[in-house]
Amino acid sequence: MGALVSMPLSATADVPRTSRATADVATHSQAVSAAAQKKVLAYWTPRRIAAVTEPVTGQRPVKGPDGAPWTRQNHVTKTVGRLFFTDHGEDSSCTATVVASANRSTVATAAHCVNNTNLLGEDNRWATNVMFVPGYHDGRAPYGKYTGRMAVTAATWLKNDQQQEKFGKYDQAFVVLNHGPRGQRLQTAVGAAQKIGFNRPGSARVYQFGYPRAASDPAREGLPEYTGARLAYCTGEAKQALSTADVSIAKGLWGTKCVMGGGASGGPRISALNVRSGLGTVVGVNTEGGYLDRAGNHCGYAPAAGCTRHLIGPQFTKSITEPLYKRAARGF
């Protein structure tokens, strides 16, 4: 990686730059000027969005705690949304969540949704054309569309070369968003935000949300909640993924049984969720799927006897996450 160049968030230049902040924090400016914001909104035409949304196949509905559509109309459907971006020239999407912050304009997501390598683990680049749509549903944007203004992730993540045993716990990020179509800040527009927690116990009942474009269960492939069109969730007791002689994995990756695939990355892992209000505490994000046995030992990335597919990701900590969050909260 080259040197990281400082650039104030208030700068109006449209050329994205990266800055190295205190601790292990890197920031990257996105669409700052009005012209840049307009360009991103114009980029995401209905046709482009449809291109990163899989077709519905009409399969018979299959539901379970390891993956189902979220149908409750509460604060979950206001605060969780779809994050669109371009990665190495390819349009894609992840999931992100509105978290309470001083600037009322911050979402939590996965680091690989804002900065990623190519499939060979090389050519590290920042995502472009970043746009967040809270409450996304079947192509609709009930609370408006918000362009990315600044991405914040760990500087260590910029060394990512797809070695999960080294960098998996750094796969977390925040995005500060520009004001919406009526000049409102994001949190004001949706009327809610999820709490954020650091160093919370990993072993707890959690809800994990996402806009997956695939399912590891063939019986659920092509259902609306696995095409990127609708919000899906999994719930259960979170388990930590443990390294074995065959699979080395970073410490601090947790998750529950879940069939959600690509597109669910960056979605929240929420503890103490009040299912009536839809509010809880985000304690981590989804970053990868893997098969774990009953003790949490990682069996690999393909089905194996005695192992169940889990959706795992880093648990938010005071050492890694809090500096990122605080930097994002100051932004705007």
Side-chain angles (χ1 to χ4, degrees):
M1 294 297 298
L4 301 177
V5 181
S6 175
M7 179 179 183
L9 185 60
S10 59
T12 57
D14 291 344
V15 179
R17 296 184 181 179
T18 304
S19 66
R20 179 70 177 268
T22 58
D24 187 22
V25 179
T27 64
H28 178 77
S29 66
Q30 297 171 331
V32 176
S33 70
Q37 294 169 38
K38 186 176 180 179
K39 185 177 180 180
V40 172
L41 292 173
Y43 180 85
W44 287 109
T45 63
R47 184 174 181 177
R48 285 189 183 276
I49 290 175
V52 291
T53 305
E54 299 299 317
V56 175
T57 60
Q59 292 216 82
R60 187 174 181 177
V62 178
K63 301 178 182 178
D66 62 342
W70 182 259
T71 57
R72 290 177 178 266
Q73 297 302 307
N74 55 24
H75 290 311
V76 167
T77 55
K78 296 179 180 180
T79 56
V80 182
R82 203 168 172 198
L83 185 71
F84 296 93
F85 57 93
T86 303
D87 175 14
H88 289 78
E90 297 290 331
D91 293 338
S92 190
S93 71
C94 279
T95 305
T97 310
V98 183
V99 290
S101 63
N103 61 23
R104 301 178 66 82
S105 302
T106 297
V107 294
T109 190
H112 71 260
C113 301
V114 301
N115 183 288
N116 204 8
T117 62
N118 61 21
L119 295 178
L120 298 177
E122 302 169 345
D123 191 22
N124 171 278
R125 295 186 192 179
W126 291 94
T128 58
N129 301 314
V130 177
M131 182 181 76
F132 177 65
V133 183
Y136 180 90
H137 185 88
D138 290 334
R140 296 192 292 272
Y143 306 101
K145 301 174 181 179
Y146 299 78
T147 56
R149 185 178 183 89
M150 180 179 73
V152 183
T153 192
T156 298
W157 176 255
L158 304 187
K159 305 172 185 176
N160 169 41
D161 55 4
Q162 298 189 19
Q163 295 183 54
Q164 287 304 92
E165 69 275 16
K166 291 178 62 177
F167 300 109
K169 64 183 179 181
Y170 294 97
D171 197 352
Q172 49 184 296
F174 296 91
V175 178
V176 180
L177 299 159
N178 290 299
H179 293 172
R182 292 187 292 275
Q184 288 183 307
R185 293 180 187 263
L186 173 63
Q187 190 175 326
T188 301
V190 302
Q194 300 291 342
K195 295 179 182 178
I196 188 167
F198 311 109
N199 288 358
R200 299 294 178 90
S203 180
R205 182 174 179 81
V206 297
Y207 285 77
Q208 294 176 220
F209 295 91
Y211 285 88
R213 301 187 305 276
S216 62
D217 176 11
R220 285 180 259 199
E221 277 280 3
L223 293 177
E225 63 272 23
Y226 297 100
T227 64
R230 298 180 187 177
L231 184 65
Y233 80 103
C234 301
T235 185
E237 189 76 15
K239 185 177 294 184
Q240 183 174 199
L242 303 174
S243 293
T244 66
D246 298 319
V247 181
S248 183
I249 194 80
K251 293 182 179 179
L253 303 186
W254 293 78
T256 191
K257 296 176 182 178
C258 192
V259 303
M260 290 194 292
S265 287
R269 187 165 63 255
I270 299 179
S271 69
L273 178 71
N274 183 319
V275 294
R276 179 171 294 181
S277 69
L279 293 174
T281 301
V282 180
V283 296
V285 289
N286 310 324
T287 57
E288 62 180 281
Y291 288 81
L292 310 182
D293 66 16
R294 294 184 65 180
N297 297 308
H298 205 302
C299 309
Y301 299 96
C307 302
T308 307
R309 209 249 192 198
H310 285 62
L311 183 59
I312 59 176
Q315 189 81 354
F316 285 168
T317 63
K318 294 184 76 66
S319 59
I320 295 176
T321 319
E322 191 171 34
L324 307 180
Y325 168 73
K326 287 185 174 179
R327 179 63 187 92
R330 294 202 313 270
F332 209 93

